[in-house]
Amino acid sequence: MESLTQKVALKFSKANFVPEKVTNRYFHRGNLVKLKSPTTTTITTITTTPTRNTPVSPPIFVSKRAAVPRAGEETELKTTRIRDPVSSADMASKDPILKDDRIARISSSIRVIPDFPKPGIMFQDITTLLLDTKAFKDTIDLFLERYKDKNISVVAGIEARGFIFGPPIALAIGAKFVPMRKPKKLPGEVISEEYSLEYGTDKIEMHVGAVQAGERALVVDDLIATGGTLAAAIRLLERVGVEVVECACLIELPELKGRDRLGDKPLFVLVSST
Ligand SMILES: O=P(O)(O)OC[C@H]1O[C@H](OP(=O)(O)OP(=O)(O)O)[C@H](O)[C@@H]1O
Ligand SMILES: Nc1ncnc2[nH]cnc12
């Protein structure tokens, strides 16, 4: 564990001025991974959702977890609107910005477990969100509000937790669901896409024939960390001629800059967790 040096930087939350710890470690499929460039930035603003070449509506919400908890403590969440609301009642019923109570509930229903699965990891546990029927429904509804009229025919869900959020979205928008799985899990013929980790590589796979060239896809996962998994999913779909419209995640860990790895592909997230 000593070789995985934990770079710690003090930073101040704009919301509460409580010093927080920032770590350059995260985990990938149960393993600790050390980032090449440690995160030492002082963050005083809330991260936004996509800004580049977004074919659909502009950024909606972000939420920020307030403080890194000590063992056994729950995390507090701060939710911030990043655009001023409009006043008309009609807009209020349509504009999700005015429904940010949903985001606050979603944020606070995600449990953060320190030191799981390894010391130093702040695990974002979405199983507690699934226990809260309103938060779970609100999560799906927010995605549906964004994707229902976007002519998407494929929802590609990434194993494992993209299999929880992807299918209800696919069913509701009338798209097929395509699982993107870890190696050697799919029984039929597959195409694979490898992606690099600091030490070694990883891979995701998709069944040959699951999608056709020219289809429009949404890629869904629970969380983006370094962005390696989503970037590989995008490449896999584009290799067979599918147009990836956007990636959608419940949670982003912005300090890991995974968004940068997606190039110009838009990313939509509900909760930003630091
Ligand atoms: O942005 P990245 O750095 O690529 O990491 C994000 C991926 O990591 C987590 O899954 P994990 O690999 O832990 O597998 P699991 O869902 O089977 O637990 C998460 O659900 C994403 O799929
Ligand atoms: N901190 C985290 N919590 C949950 N899933 C993750 N995948 C990568 N980092 C994660």
Side-chain angles (χ1 to χ4, degrees):
M1 202 53 64
E2 286 306 309
S3 62
L4 294 173
T5 313
Q6 187 176 14
K7 302 279 183 183
V8 174
L10 275 184
K11 67 174 187 173
F12 294 90
S13 154
K14 195 176 185 181
N16 56 16
F17 295 97
V18 173
E20 296 176 12
K21 285 181 179 177
V22 178
T23 177
N24 71 331
R25 295 185 300 179
Y26 80 108
F27 89 96
H28 181 88
R29 299 196 184 161
N31 295 311
L32 266 179
V33 177
K34 193 177 73 165
L35 294 177
K36 283 180 182 149
S37 311
T39 305
T40 54
T41 326
T42 299
I43 299 169
T44 53
T45 54
I46 306 273
T47 313
T48 65
T49 46
T51 54
R52 291 171 308 196
N53 297 350
T54 307
V56 285
S57 52
I60 300 186
F61 308 106
V62 287
S63 299
K64 181 176 174 170
R65 292 179 187 282
V68 175
R70 293 179 193 86
E73 285 181 354
E74 283 191 10
T75 48
E76 288 292 319
L77 292 161
K78 303 277 180 226
T79 303
T80 302
R81 261 199 306 253
I82 58 172
R83 228 171 51 185
D84 286 337
V86 287
S87 54
S88 111
D90 184 47
M91 285 299 285
S93 66
K94 292 189 178 124
D95 190 343
I97 287 171
L98 298 179
K99 298 175 188 163
D100 62 356
D101 58 316
R102 293 188 297 178
I103 294 292
R105 186 176 182 126
I106 289 165
S107 290
S108 56
S109 71
I110 300 165
R111 177 169 58 172
V112 179
I113 301 193
D115 301 321
F116 180 87
K118 303 270 169 65
I121 302 301
M122 302 295 291
F123 189 83
Q124 309 286 319
D125 178 20
I126 56 93
T127 66
T128 44
L129 177 143
L130 306 176
L131 303 175
D132 181 336
T133 54
K134 176 164 167 46
F136 189 15
K137 183 172 187 308
D138 285 348
T139 300
I140 300 303
D141 284 349
L142 282 161
F143 288 132
L144 295 183
E145 284 162 21
R146 188 166 178 91
Y147 298 116
K148 64 181 179 215
D149 296 321
K150 300 298 183 299
N151 198 24
I152 289 164
S153 61
V154 177
V155 173
I158 295 176
E159 184 171 359
R161 286 162 273 165
F163 294 0
I164 296 170
F165 299 101
I169 299 170
L171 283 172
I173 65 174
K176 60 188 173 189
F177 179 75
V178 175
M180 311 205 87
R181 296 214 63 180
K182 291 174 180 171
K184 298 188 168 64
K185 297 283 188 185
L186 290 169
E189 190 186 348
V190 296
I191 55 168
S192 313
E193 186 68 32
E194 209 165 68
Y195 56 102
S196 57
L197 303 169
E198 188 180 21
Y199 303 107
T201 57
D202 218 327
K203 216 190 256 180
I204 55 163
E205 297 185 337
M206 176 177 72
H207 266 145
V208 169
V211 292
Q212 275 70 52
E215 288 198 274
R216 284 166 56 82
L218 170 70
V219 183
V220 174
D221 204 351
D222 68 320
L223 178 143
I224 176 169
T226 65
T229 314
L230 280 180
I234 293 166
R235 289 197 302 275
L236 196 52
L237 289 159
E238 289 186 341
R239 265 171 53 193
V240 293
V242 169
E243 182 190 344
V244 177
V245 175
E246 189 157 287
C247 298
C249 290
L250 178 51
I251 307 161
E252 178 180 17
L253 306 182
E255 284 159 3
L256 299 177
K257 302 190 188 313
R259 188 181 283 276
D260 295 350
R261 221 160 149 182
L262 307 185
D264 284 342
K265 203 57 69 186
L267 169 70
F268 176 72
V269 295
L270 302 183
V271 174
S272 175
S273 181
T274 57

